[in-house]
């Protein structure tokens, strides 16, 4: 009976761990699409250059070439791997490989929990924290998912093998740490922290023989990284130290950004993120004092040293993000793209707290953490659903612009082979979109501002969101051009959470409608008089309606940021 209860408990624990992974995988499969976004085109270009050059040295140079302030060797290597299998650059496959690094991070925490004599149940909250929908910007972006997720996995793997190679006669762990350090340096710019933190660890552990080897290899990695290095030509991304108070606020906000209440209280998002950042910094400070200055069991100290090293990497990364991006505005620091660092700091703080409580209270602490983490995971799904859906719609309309508005989709050569158009709902609608039809009287509210337009179409009833592309799109058609833009779905209630926490949304894919809002800029749109069309997608029945309303657009040219790729 005891054995049976143990097996049932273990099976239940595994189910709890797999649930957030399964939900995360379902959302990814439904909304990810093979359409390039911004820097994905740079990956495509470098892959094309790699495939069309015969020089071995040119190929190596392309793999290690600078991209902004980064060397994205691993991203290019994975893109090449995908090409070798599929004969094209499948960005959804690149996203998948990028997101698999989150599984690797969870596995490292699992290995750590074994060393720390924690039961498997203690791992459950980490799964719900790490695999949350709030990371959507990186999750659905090929290059960013590899760069921003893998560099953390490689940093954690390096620190794990380096610290726990202490006292081992075999050097396997140590050499694995060197290999992972190399990959980390050439995955993202914050990867250069890995060998530096490694040096500090070896000094702290007084491992002077390994320190020499580590120092030589680290110097070589950093030399290669900074060889012919160019500073970013984008003047907007300038470093500004003129406002220390703003920098401090930014650092606190980035560290505490995992706690995001913008969905229910937008005005409190910054304040609560900063407050969370302060709490986590206090925990980190107390923990750091314990690791660095107290004398206790060497094995436990190495366990704590691993957590502290991971926190140092994440903390300095957060500081770097603030210094490099604060010039764009503090609200940029609160975006989903940088949230993974805060989520992992929160996860490590949980492990610190768990280790600090007495054994009699650990079970209760784990239970509370499981409940809170499940609530956190569910909240991020509800809060970010519209963002995830809208992101996919944006990608589709971006491809429409390349294909049919600008007519710049590659049709021959290596670029056509690497960038193959993804199937989209508009493929079957093109004859309808291009031919003249009778217009329908509508009352779309049109507001023009300095840089663009906001079109609001008030609706009532429910929207079936079973399809990933479900929603409303705005088509603009002139005598010479046609454009397509996504609309945001605004729910009926003044408190959006009410429209998501109900049976209709959670179990029937029915969302209460209030309005559709389409916000687009005049940048890169040709001047002209445009008739407004509406495309409504629901229940696999796209409906195209050309309205009696139109807008006049005077093109505004936006200066593209300078790049080194």
């Amino acid at each position: 009976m005891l054995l049976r209860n143990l097996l049932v408990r273990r099976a239940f624990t595994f189910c709890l761990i797999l649930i957030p992974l399964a939900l995360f995988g379902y959302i990814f499969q439904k909304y990810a699409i093979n359409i390039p976004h911004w820097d994905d085109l740079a990956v495509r270009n470098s892959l094309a250059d790699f495939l069309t050059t015969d020089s071995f040295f040119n190929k190596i140079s392309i793999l290690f070439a600078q991209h902004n302030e980064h060397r994205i060797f691993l991203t290019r290597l994975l893109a090449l791997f995908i090409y070798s299998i599929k004969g094209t650059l499948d960005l959804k496959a690149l996203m998948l490989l990028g997101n698999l690094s989150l599984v690797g991070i969870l596995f490292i925490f699992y290995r750590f929990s074994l060393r720390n004599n924690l039961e498997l149940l203690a791992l459950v909250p980490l799964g719900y924290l790490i695999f949350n929908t709030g990371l959507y910007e990186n999750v659905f972006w090929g290059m960013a998912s590899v760069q921003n997720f893998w560099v953390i996995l490689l940093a954690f793997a390096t620190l794990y093998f380096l610290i726990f190679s202490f006292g081992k006669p075999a050097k396997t762990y140590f050499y694995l740490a060197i290999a992972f350090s190399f990959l980390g340096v050439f995955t993202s710019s914050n990867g250069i922290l890995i060998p530096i933190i490694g040096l500090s660890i070896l000094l702290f552990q007084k491992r002077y023989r390994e320190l020499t080897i580590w120092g030589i290899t680290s110097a070589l990695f950093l030399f290669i990284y900074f060889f012919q290095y160019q500073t970013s030509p984008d003047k907007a991304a300038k470093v500004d130290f003129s406002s220390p108070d703003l920098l401090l606020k930014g650092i606190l906000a980035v560290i505490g950004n995992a706690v995001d209440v913008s969905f229910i209280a937008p005005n409190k998002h910054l304040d609560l993120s900063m407050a969370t950042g302060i709490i986590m910094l206090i925990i980190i400070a107390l923990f750091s004092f314990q690791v660095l200055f107290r004398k206790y069991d060497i094995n436990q100290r190495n366990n704590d040293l691993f957590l502290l090293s991971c926190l140092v990497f994440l903390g300095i990364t957060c500081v770097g993000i603030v210094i490099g991006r604060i010039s764009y505005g503090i609200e940029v620091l609160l975006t989903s793209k940088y949230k993974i660092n805060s989520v992992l700091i929160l996860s490590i703080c949980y492990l610190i707290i768990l280790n600090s409580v007495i054994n009699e209270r650990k079970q209760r602490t784990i239970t509370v953490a499981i409940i809170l983490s499940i609530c956190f995971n569910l909240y991020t799904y509800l809060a970010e659903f519209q963002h995830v859906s809208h992101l996919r719609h944006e990608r589709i309309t971006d491809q429409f612009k390349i294909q049919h508005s600008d007519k710049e989709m590659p049709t021959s050569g290596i670029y056509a082979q690497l960038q193959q158009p993804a199937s989209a709902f508009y493929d079957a609608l093109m004859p309808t979109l291009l031919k003249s039809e009778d217009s329908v009287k509508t009352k779309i509210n049109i507001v023009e501002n300095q840089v663009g337009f906001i079109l609001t179409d008030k609706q009532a009833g429910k929207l079936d969101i079973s399809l990933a592309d479900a929603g409303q799109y705005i088509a603009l058609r002139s005598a010479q051009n046609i454009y397509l833009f996504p609309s945001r779905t605004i729910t009926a209630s003044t408190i959006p959470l009410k429209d998501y926490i109900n049976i209709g949304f959670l179990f029937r894919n029915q969302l209460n409608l209030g309005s559709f809002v389409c916000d687009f800029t005049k940048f890169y749109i040709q001047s002209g008089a445009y008739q407004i069309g509406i495309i409504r997608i629901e229940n696999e029945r796209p409906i195209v309606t050309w309205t009696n309303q139109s807008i006049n657009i005077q093109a505004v040219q936006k200066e593209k940021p300078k790049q080194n790729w």
Side-chain angles (χ1 to χ4, degrees):
M1 181 63 71
L2 183 62
L3 178 61
R4 182 180 177 183
N5 290 339
L6 183 62
L7 290 174
V8 170
R9 178 183 172 86
R10 183 170 288 270
F12 178 70
T13 302
F14 271 115
C15 288
L16 285 176
I17 293 173
L18 290 176
I19 285 172
L21 276 72
L23 178 61
F24 189 87
Y26 168 77
I27 295 170
F28 174 82
Q29 178 59 28
K30 182 175 180 179
Y31 291 100
I33 189 168
N34 179 28
I35 295 176
H37 176 62
W38 290 352
D39 301 45
D40 289 333
L41 294 173
V43 178
R44 180 206 65 179
N45 295 346
S46 58
L47 183 57
D49 293 340
F50 181 92
L51 296 171
T52 53
T53 184
D54 295 325
S55 169
F56 172 78
F57 293 104
N58 283 346
K59 288 180 182 292
I60 297 299
S61 176
I62 290 167
L63 289 176
F64 286 92
Q66 189 177 342
H67 177 88
N68 293 333
E69 65 269 31
H70 316 285
R71 304 274 187 183
I72 54 171
F73 167 78
L74 181 62
T75 306
R76 295 183 177 117
L77 202 62
L78 292 179
L80 185 61
F81 170 72
I82 292 170
Y83 173 82
S84 68
I85 295 174
K86 310 194 77 170
T88 186
L89 178 57
D90 187 336
L91 290 165
K92 187 172 181 178
L94 188 62
M95 295 174 209
L96 177 61
L97 292 177
N99 287 296
L100 282 177
S101 60
L102 298 178
V103 179
I105 292 171
L106 185 62
F107 180 74
I108 288 179
F109 282 136
Y110 166 71
R111 295 289 302 175
F112 171 80
S113 68
L114 293 179
R115 296 188 61 92
N116 216 31
N117 297 318
L118 294 174
E119 61 176 314
L120 187 62
L121 196 65
L123 202 67
V124 172
L126 298 177
Y128 286 94
L129 289 174
I130 294 172
F131 293 91
N132 78 85
T133 316
L135 309 178
Y136 68 92
E137 281 189 79
N138 286 324
V139 169
F140 298 102
W141 186 350
M143 177 192 161
S145 62
V146 176
Q147 179 184 334
N148 295 327
F149 290 163
W150 269 90
V151 70
I152 297 174
L153 171 60
L154 292 167
F156 284 13
T158 300
L159 299 173
Y160 181 90
F161 286 113
L162 183 61
I163 290 170
F164 298 123
S165 65
F166 178 81
K168 289 184 178 292
K171 297 298 181 184
T172 306
Y173 269 32
F174 180 71
Y175 292 130
L176 280 173
I178 292 176
F180 285 129
S181 175
F182 168 80
L183 287 175
V185 168
F186 296 101
T187 296
S188 184
S189 60
N190 57 329
I192 64 174
L193 297 171
I194 300 173
I196 298 171
I197 296 173
L199 282 171
S200 303
I201 290 170
L202 293 172
L203 279 171
F204 184 77
Q205 292 182 325
K206 299 179 181 179
R207 297 163 59 187
Y208 302 117
R209 183 175 298 178
E210 290 100 329
L211 180 64
T212 303
I213 300 173
W214 186 270
I216 293 172
T217 55
S218 297
L220 177 62
F221 299 162
L222 295 178
F223 172 78
I224 296 171
Y225 184 91
F226 287 106
F227 181 70
Q228 295 183 339
Y229 183 87
Q230 299 176 353
T231 57
S232 174
D234 184 7
K235 294 181 180 179
K238 60 183 179 179
V239 179
D240 185 7
F241 295 101
S242 61
S243 179
D245 291 346
L246 185 61
L247 287 173
L248 179 59
K249 287 182 179 179
I251 292 170
L252 294 174
V254 172
I255 291 174
N257 192 27
V259 181
D260 182 350
V261 294
S262 58
F263 181 58
I264 55 178
N267 296 332
K268 300 296 183 181
H269 183 192
L270 177 60
D271 293 340
L272 189 58
S273 293
M274 289 173 55
T276 305
I278 291 173
I279 293 171
M280 290 201 287
L281 279 180
I282 292 172
I283 294 172
I284 293 170
L286 295 174
F287 181 65
S288 300
F289 180 83
Q290 171 184 300
V291 176
L292 297 178
F293 300 107
R294 280 186 58 195
K295 293 183 179 180
Y296 53 106
D297 178 73
I298 188 65
N299 291 325
Q300 184 58 49
R301 190 170 192 171
N302 283 338
N303 289 341
D304 291 347
L305 181 61
F306 168 70
L307 294 181
L308 180 60
S309 302
C310 292
L311 287 171
V312 169
F313 176 80
L314 295 169
I316 298 177
T317 296
C318 290
V319 173
I321 289 169
V322 174
I323 292 174
R325 296 292 183 265
I326 192 69
S327 58
Y328 293 106
I330 196 166
E331 65 279 354
V332 173
L333 305 177
L334 299 176
T335 57
S336 166
K337 186 163 59 174
Y338 306 122
K339 196 170 289 186
I340 182 61
N341 300 290
S342 178
V343 166
L344 291 174
I345 291 174
L346 181 61
S347 300
I348 295 173
C349 285
Y350 154 70
L351 291 174
I352 292 171
I353 293 171
L354 186 60
N355 284 333
S356 65
V357 299
I358 59 177
N359 291 331
E360 290 76 11
R361 294 183 179 177
K362 279 190 177 180
Q363 191 65 48
R364 184 180 299 176
T365 304
I366 293 172
T367 302
V368 172
I370 290 174
I371 295 171
L372 291 176
S373 63
I374 290 175
C375 293
F376 169 82
N377 192 278
L378 177 61
Y379 169 78
T380 63
Y381 172 71
L382 300 177
E384 308 296 358
F385 168 78
Q386 283 292 348
H387 291 135
V388 171
S389 176
H390 190 72
L391 192 69
R392 176 185 171 91
H393 299 174
E394 281 185 326
R395 297 287 192 272
I396 292 172
T397 54
D398 286 346
Q399 179 176 270
F400 182 93
K401 184 174 187 296
I402 296 173
Q403 270 187 296
H404 301 289
S405 304
D406 299 336
K407 297 179 173 61
E408 294 179 349
M409 181 67 70
T411 56
S412 62
I414 186 64
Y415 286 103
Q417 183 181 356
L418 295 177
Q419 186 181 350
Q420 298 177 5
S423 298
F425 68 84
Y426 60 73
D427 292 334
L429 299 179
M430 288 311 299
T432 306
L433 291 174
L434 294 174
K435 73 177 182 180
S436 298
E437 291 188 353
D438 294 337
S439 61
V440 176
K441 187 175 181 179
T442 55
K443 295 182 179 180
I444 297 175
N445 183 50
I446 302 171
V447 176
E448 182 178 5
N449 53 41
Q450 188 174 1
V451 296
F453 289 86
I454 300 174
L455 278 57
T456 303
D457 183 15
K458 292 186 177 180
Q459 296 285 335
K462 296 182 182 295
L463 173 70
D464 190 307
I465 55 171
S466 301
L467 297 177
D469 298 333
Q472 184 164 294
Y473 302 77
I474 292 294
L476 299 180
R477 184 177 65 182
S478 70
Q480 293 81 27
N481 303 293
I482 185 167
Y483 296 92
L484 189 65
F485 300 99
S487 297
R488 297 186 184 275
T489 305
I490 308 300
T491 57
S493 176
T494 54
I495 303 175
L497 192 60
K498 288 183 179 180
D499 291 315
Y500 292 94
I501 304 182
N502 59 56
I503 294 175
F505 175 78
L506 293 174
F507 300 103
R508 298 173 186 166
N509 288 320
Q510 299 290 318
L511 186 62
N512 294 328
L513 275 179
S515 62
F516 291 107
V517 178
C518 180
D519 184 355
F520 61 90
T521 69
K522 302 173 187 175
F523 301 134
Y524 316 125
I525 300 178
Q526 298 298 317
S527 299
Y530 289 88
Q531 183 182 10
I532 299 174
I534 297 173
I535 302 175
R536 177 79 172 264
I537 297 181
E538 190 176 9
N539 299 324
E540 300 185 5
R541 293 195 303 271
I543 299 174
V544 180
T545 304
W546 286 106
T547 75
N548 64 332
Q549 295 179 269
S550 62
I551 55 176
N552 291 308
I553 295 180
Q554 185 65 39
V556 176
Q557 295 300 320
K558 181 180 181 180
E559 183 180 352
K560 293 184 178 181
K562 295 181 179 180
Q563 299 159 331
N564 57 6
W565 45 272

